[in-house]
Amino acid sequence: MSIRLRLTLIYTAILALLLLVINVMLYVGQTQAMVRGDQFVIKAEASRIMKAWPIPPPSGGGQIPPDGGPMPPERFREIYVQTRSLDGEVVQTDANLGGLILPFNRKVLLALQQGERPVETVTLGSEDFLVYHDLLRKPDTPRLIIQVAMPLSHRARFLTTFRTTLLAASAIILGGVFGVSWVLAGLALRPIHRITQTAQEIGAQRDFNRRVDHAGPNDEIGQLATTFNGMLNELQDAYVQVEQSLQNQQRFVADASHELRTPLTTLRGNLGLLQRQPPISTEDRADVLEDMVDETERLMRLVNDLLILARADAKRPLRNESIALKPLVTDITDQVKLLAPHRALVCDPCPEEATITGDEDALKQILLVLLDNALKHTPPQATITLTTSVDDEHVNISVRDNGPGIEPERLPHIFDRFYRSDDARTEGGTGLGLAIAKELTEAQNGTIKVASEAGQGSVFTLIFPGAKEATVT
Ligand code: ADP
């Protein structure tokens, strides 16, 4: 059942209940007033009749005349009189009653004997009568019980008409209120209907640019429209983000497949050479094997880098520990000096006693990427300088070189996955080093910055949470 119909029915039902209570009160009140009115009328009529009772004095010493004497002449047509002796025997009947006798019982007799004037409702034939009982006490007149009756058909007729009128009026009012409530509920719910329609259209067309158009006041419906539009804003942002990340993911998978295919194709070609009949010369075979080792190493590096990035994408949590800066830097520089003993690598100024908050393995990996790049992308005579500085909240580590630098137009792209210079491409660079360094740095709440000038060299700076004079392990 719709809310509109439910609201309409609720309003109508409440009104129906109210009308029922009012109608019952009116009907009962009217009935009681009529009963009181009828009793008043019959009592007044009875006393008038009794005052005017024209029974002549009895001829024989207090005996009741056998015909009971004449009936009082002036009375309303609808008032009937009947007399009974004190032991209840009918003395006179009213000719207007058409031969019917007004009933009488012991209870009434007892009440009369106790001085009461009982009024009873009796059914005579098919009609109800209100009957007043009293004792006729006239001087020189035998004592009689007088029954004055009045038909109640007028009351029944009036009450039936009254009931029908009340029911008809209530039905008309209820019908009218149902119609008005239906229209009003429809008007009140129209904005909700519009919101529902917009939501359905957005769902069907996947058009998150649409908004609910509500120009009304900021009432409950206005707030619903505002909340709905706010939710659409969020949904649109989320949708754009998901779409972008899906596109990035697809590009990444396509790039990764492409990168993996190159060494695999080379390996497949080399295996073909080794299988050739007649076999290739021993010298060529040695070259092919060397080439295969290089390609396999490249493949391993690439798979390793892809694995690191996949883990970073999955937001696998890194450790969050205090790492002493000095041993970390010493360890890394020693490692690099072993790999490139002829290169100039200096530490200036050398690290202070400080700690970084992060993951040691990840930190080493980042520094190795930066130092490896400085070695790879600069001529052998270039100098690489490692600088550290510490303030109250941060530890900064910079890797500076005086190599060829990076052109301004390439600078914004160097952290992109698979982005590399043409030289790096031929030298077997994967283009993933800086992307990994950035992911790992940010995963430890750090930032990575680059400043470079073509022909002057480059500076990569890492900023990590950390502090001076912390406990050194
Ligand atoms: P890769 O080193 O495998 O090519 P990276 O993501 O580490 O990939 O680097 C991306 C590109 O940034 C490199 O190809 C290179 O062109 C440039 N680059 C990075 N470091 C330096 C540097 N120290 N000097 C000059 N160019 C650099």
Side-chain angles (χ1 to χ4, degrees):
M1 193 193 287
S2 69
I3 293 185
R4 185 182 188 184
L5 184 58
R6 222 179 302 163
L7 282 176
T8 309
L9 287 179
I10 287 171
Y11 293 150
T12 314
I14 291 172
L15 187 76
L17 211 68
L18 275 173
L19 281 176
L20 182 73
V21 172
I22 292 171
N23 285 350
V24 167
M25 279 164 62
L26 278 176
Y27 188 75
V28 170
Q30 183 62 35
T31 310
Q32 284 174 350
M34 287 189 86
V35 167
R36 278 197 300 274
D38 285 346
Q39 286 183 350
F40 178 80
V41 166
I42 201 161
K43 280 178 189 168
E45 194 60 21
S47 93
R48 199 183 63 77
I49 288 169
M50 286 194 295
K51 263 188 206 147
W53 194 261
I55 295 174
S59 48
Q63 289 297 304
I64 304 165
D67 63 351
M71 295 293 268
E74 284 176 35
R75 54 197 169 101
F76 297 119
R77 238 184 81 76
E78 291 269 280
I79 297 288
Y80 307 97
V81 181
Q82 181 178 288
T83 54
R84 285 177 186 265
S85 63
L86 289 181
D87 53 5
E89 289 302 318
V90 176
V91 175
Q92 293 167 291
T93 56
D94 197 318
N96 290 334
L97 276 172
L100 293 172
I101 302 288
L102 293 171
F104 187 73
N105 57 42
R106 261 191 72 74
K107 210 176 93 194
V108 174
L109 185 61
L110 283 173
L112 282 169
Q113 282 166 357
Q114 283 165 15
E116 293 172 21
R117 295 177 178 89
V119 179
E120 293 242 303
T121 303
V122 300
T123 307
L124 211 57
S126 58
E127 212 178 326
D128 285 344
F129 286 83
L130 193 67
V131 187
Y132 173 84
H133 302 81
D134 205 348
L135 287 176
L136 194 60
R137 296 186 197 87
K138 283 277 189 178
D140 306 326
T141 304
R143 299 187 80 190
L144 289 172
I145 295 170
I146 184 163
Q147 290 180 287
V148 181
M150 183 175 93
L152 292 178
S153 50
H154 70 284
R155 189 206 291 178
R157 269 198 307 277
F158 176 83
L159 287 178
T160 307
T161 313
F162 188 52
R163 215 166 39 222
T164 314
T165 311
L166 285 180
L167 283 175
S170 302
I172 291 169
I173 292 173
L174 283 178
V177 166
F178 183 91
V180 172
S181 303
W182 178 256
V183 173
L184 287 180
L187 283 177
L189 293 172
R190 193 180 285 170
I192 294 186
H193 184 63
R194 264 209 313 269
I195 293 175
T196 313
Q197 237 176 1
T198 311
Q200 276 169 351
E201 284 167 15
I202 289 171
Q205 299 161 6
R206 297 191 169 239
D207 178 7
F208 297 109
N209 285 318
R210 288 199 52 182
R211 295 290 175 270
V212 175
D213 185 19
H214 180 72
N218 191 27
D219 52 11
E220 287 86 341
I221 293 189
Q223 283 167 13
L224 175 67
T226 313
T227 312
F228 185 72
N229 283 342
M231 189 197 75
L232 283 176
N233 284 340
E234 299 289 327
L235 211 60
Q236 190 184 17
D237 288 352
Y239 190 71
V240 169
Q241 267 177 20
V242 167
E243 211 169 28
Q244 265 173 5
S245 88
L246 200 68
Q247 275 173 7
N248 289 346
Q249 203 76 31
Q250 282 169 346
R251 205 172 49 230
F252 180 63
V253 170
D255 288 348
S257 317
H258 179 76
E259 292 298 324
L260 287 168
R261 206 173 56 177
T262 314
L264 284 173
T265 312
T266 315
L267 280 172
R268 180 69 193 91
N270 285 344
L271 281 170
L273 284 175
L274 291 178
Q275 280 179 327
R276 194 178 274 182
Q277 285 301 337
I280 54 173
S281 69
T282 317
E283 273 172 23
D284 288 346
R285 190 183 163 85
D287 285 347
V288 166
L289 283 174
E290 197 179 330
D291 200 27
M292 284 177 77
V293 169
D294 286 349
E295 287 304 323
T296 310
E297 275 172 2
R298 181 168 133 86
L299 202 56
M300 280 166 66
R301 266 201 319 276
L302 190 62
V303 170
N304 202 33
D305 287 354
L306 287 173
L307 189 65
I308 294 167
L309 279 174
R311 280 185 182 148
D313 284 346
K315 303 276 176 240
R316 191 176 283 194
L318 295 174
R319 279 172 294 175
N320 199 20
E321 55 202 3
S322 284
I323 305 141
L325 178 64
K326 209 167 180 175
L328 175 84
V329 170
T330 316
D331 206 13
I332 289 290
T333 43
D334 288 352
Q335 209 172 321
V336 173
K337 275 177 185 162
L338 265 179
L339 288 170
H342 305 299
R343 298 294 304 261
L345 173 60
V346 292
C347 212
D348 182 26
C350 277
E352 303 173 46
E353 298 289 354
T355 54
I356 300 181
T357 313
D359 181 300
E360 188 166 359
D361 290 342
L363 279 172
K364 280 185 180 169
Q365 193 148 18
I366 298 163
L367 287 171
L368 274 177
V369 167
L370 298 183
L371 289 168
D372 184 47
N373 274 351
L375 291 172
K376 270 194 314 195
H377 303 297
T378 57
Q381 66 278 9
T383 306
I384 301 157
T385 313
L386 213 143
T387 310
T388 60
S389 70
V390 183
D391 60 32
D392 287 345
E393 289 176 7
H394 298 106
V395 173
N396 307 320
I397 308 172
S398 300
V399 177
R400 176 190 301 272
D401 67 64
N402 56 1
I406 304 163
E407 291 85 12
E409 65 276 11
R410 287 176 46 225
L411 212 50
H413 305 292
I414 57 169
F415 291 102
D416 294 351
R417 294 176 180 190
F418 296 110
Y419 179 83
R420 64 208 138 152
S421 63
D422 291 340
D423 291 351
R425 204 176 291 274
T426 49
E427 282 164 17
T430 60
L432 293 175
L434 287 178
I436 289 174
K438 188 169 188 284
E439 294 279 353
L440 293 180
T441 304
E442 286 171 0
Q444 296 172 88
N445 305 317
T447 38
I448 183 164
K449 290 191 216 163
V450 60
S452 185
E453 212 176 309
Q456 300 294 312
S458 316
V459 191
F460 286 87
T461 307
L462 301 165
I463 305 164
F464 286 106
K468 229 183 220 181
E469 298 293 340
T471 317
V472 178
T473 52

